[in-house]
Amino acid sequence: MKILHTGDWHLGKTLEGLSRLEEQEEFLEDFIRIVRENDIDLVMIAGDVYDSFNPSAKAEKLFYDTLKRLSENGKTLTLVIAGNHDSPDRLVAAGPLAKEHGIMMMGTPKSTIEVGEYGRHKVVDSGEGFIEIEINGEKAVIMAIPFPSEKRLNEVIYQGMDTDIDKLASYEDRMAQLFKQLSMYYRNDTINLMVSHLFITGSEESGSERSIQLGGSYLINSDLLPKEAQYIALGHVHKPQIVGGTLKKARYAGSPIHYSKREIGFTKSLWKVELKVGEAAIIDQIPLRTYKPIEIWSCESIDEAIQKCTDDANRACWVYLEIKTDRYIKENEIKELKDLKKDIISIRPITPEELQREKEIKTLREKSFEEIFREFYLKERGTEVAQETLEAIMKIVIGEDTDEADSFKN
Ligand SMILES: [Mn+2]
């Protein structure tokens, strides 16, 4: 069985109010081509199809058009789950129409996919949080958990539980219980998969996710993920990555597009996964193009910025413009820059004072807490801090004795 794992499409997402639908369309064209070229049997979309609970009509149309073309009259099966950005009800509204195109949609952990024909394939069994599919004679059991908010999780966890409810105080405990409940559906004669939209402890965020781990309460340790699964397709984190401690079985697909300037340092991608019953998955990373790069232009002067905007006027890119200057940038200069180069997101004058402040912040980061405190004390009190005071402070900061304080300096 050949699977393509993607997620976090965030259709309708803008960059400082500017539409990115064109880039999203370009990606989806590529995506459909990649599905065809690789003869994919099952597409898994691990949540955050849209960027908001109320996606625009354009974003919805783009999604439905894509699903229809993906299916190629039911040849490819597609499983879509809701992420924290999606409205569960709205996402699955077209579910009944989608069935004949081989599309399965799940809004909440409590959703159940109806058994029956899906395009040219079949759902042979299902229940809350799991689906058993058959594609060309191959069977796969998929544990499918759309974004489990606290409330949505509680709807599924308290039934059929063999543990004392009071013992499952934390969100993580309850997720572990859900994994345990659903793992029972995995079998030796099926391919065993999982798809969800979660934040696994230690994953590296890239800045364009909306935090779902409110105060750490939605964090899940990778140890808890079901060991029986041959592949775990995750959504939420926008940087593609392998989740540590899972024998490389759990992965984030990441978003297909660079959604913020903090993401521009890495390539976006998809995971292609080949699976057979009882065997380790064969996994390939398929890199994606950067459809319209986000760039930071650091210019030494206003003249240089004007020159750069002239030179790069016709190259498609989003620009954060930073200009070193010792005076304000005049309105007519801003207009000139924006007339020359469209898609300038912001123009930031960097004054000598600001440069100095940045330098200070940078050196602050390099200094130990002890050094910073010594300097602060000297500046405020006009005298060196006494050793006893310093030790007392370090003790409070570290919460341990001064041996620890010594090691804190490193
Ligand atoms: Mn997301």
Side-chain angles (χ1 to χ4, degrees), residues 8 10 47-48 84-85 197 208-210 236-238:
D8 294 275
H10 288 265
D48 285 357
N84 57 311
H85 282 251
H197 195 87
S208 66
E209 303 90 355
R210 182 196 301 149
H236 178 59
V237 173
H238 289 185

Side-chain angles (χ1 to χ4, degrees), residues 216-283:
S217 62
Y218 280 174
L219 292 171
I220 295 162
N221 196 294
S222 62
D223 286 352
L224 301 174
L225 293 168
K227 306 276 184 288
E228 301 89 338
Q230 288 160 280
Y231 185 77
I232 299 174
L234 296 173
H236 178 59
V237 173
H238 289 185
K239 182 175 182 173
Q241 61 197 281
I242 298 170
V243 176
T246 62
L247 303 171
K248 301 188 177 177
K249 291 194 288 189
R251 296 175 188 231
Y252 282 103
S255 61
I257 285 165
H258 291 112
Y259 279 125
S260 93
K261 63 178 171 181
R262 288 170 58 195
E263 294 183 24
I264 58 185
F266 52 87
T267 304
K268 298 293 190 173
S269 62
L270 307 165
W271 297 112
K272 184 184 131 190
V273 187
E274 276 196 67
L275 281 157
K276 288 199 176 104
V277 173
E279 290 182 21
I282 300 164
I283 305 171

Side-chain angles (χ1 to χ4, degrees), residues 11 14 37 48 75 92 120 123 127 147 151 153 169 174 179 183 256 269 299 314 330 360 362 364 385 390 396 401:
L11 301 180
T14 62
E37 282 175 3
D48 285 357
K75 185 168 166 271
V92 304
R120 296 183 210 168
V123 171
F147 172 57
K151 182 167 164 277
L153 176 59
R174 278 175 280 141
F179 293 146
S183 294
S269 62
C299 298
N314 297 319
K330 292 178 208 142
E360 279 166 17
K362 215 171 147 200
L364 266 183
V385 63
L390 187 63
I396 292 163
D401 53 42

